[in-house]
Amino acid sequence: KNLIIVQNKIDLVSESGAFRHCRDIKKFIENTCADGSPIIPISAQLGYNVDVLVEYLTTIPIPPRRFAVPPRMVVIRSFDVNQAGTEPMDLRGGVAGGSILEGVLRKGQEIEIRPGIVTRTSERNVVGVPIRTRIVSLFAEGN
């Protein structure tokens, strides 16, 4: 896998604190798929080492995109578009942002959101019930 760990906000800690934190990260990722991945310390706010991060990102190969398969998307952020206290019959939905891993999304398409509504059973097991809905609109950034 092509993994990279970005240690952000290094401008908020001392040099020794940044080294300690880096050591903690290395210990945390031991024996995981991230073990041995490069750790790049940056300050996004001040622009420190961002050029190093960008340079490294350009070395990661872009995986081939499969369009002729059912769509799969990783949601990175989401928010509700409804006013607080909206009656259930008046709910308009929400917005999901992220990356489409494969396939194509189309307006009007029925989709399934997983894990959906997550609850615990009386035995304390976690259960997810997928949400089925329809795409009303789409927007893509121009990057």
Side-chain angles (χ1 to χ4, degrees):
K1 291 273 181 177
N2 294 301
L3 295 174
I4 182 171
I5 298 165
V6 180
Q7 181 184 1
N8 194 14
K9 301 186 180 186
I10 59 163
D11 55 306
L12 301 179
V13 296
S14 66
E15 186 175 340
S16 62
F19 278 112
R20 256 192 327 275
H21 187 238
C22 185
R23 226 177 15 253
D24 291 344
I25 292 170
K26 287 179 181 178
K27 186 173 181 174
F28 182 76
I29 63 172
E30 266 180 19
N31 301 316
T32 71
C33 64
D35 198 354
S37 296
I39 301 170
I40 300 179
I42 72 163
S43 169
Q45 189 75 25
L46 300 178
Y48 298 156
N49 251 8
V50 173
D51 56 335
V52 175
L53 174 61
V54 170
E55 181 65 32
Y56 184 83
L57 289 173
T58 62
T59 67
I60 298 173
I62 297 172
R65 182 78 191 279
R66 299 181 333 153
F67 294 101
V69 297
R72 285 189 331 123
M73 177 178 172
V74 174
V75 176
I76 300 169
R77 58 194 174 277
S78 65
F79 59 91
D80 189 355
V81 298
N82 302 292
Q83 297 280 337
T86 302
E87 293 296 323
M89 294 306 294
D90 297 326
L91 291 174
R92 293 188 351 232
V95 175
S99 297
I100 299 173
L101 301 176
E102 57 188 10
V104 177
L105 294 173
R106 291 185 173 81
K107 186 176 174 181
Q109 182 178 20
E110 187 175 294
I111 59 170
E112 185 173 272
I113 301 169
R114 291 178 174 260
I117 299 171
V118 178
T119 58
R120 285 192 183 270
T121 65
S122 57
E123 294 83 30
R124 307 285 298 148
N125 295 324
V126 177
V127 178
V129 177
I131 299 169
R132 296 191 70 77
T133 189
R134 193 167 299 281
I135 297 173
V136 176
S137 64
L138 292 168
F139 174 79
E141 293 181 24
N143 54 10

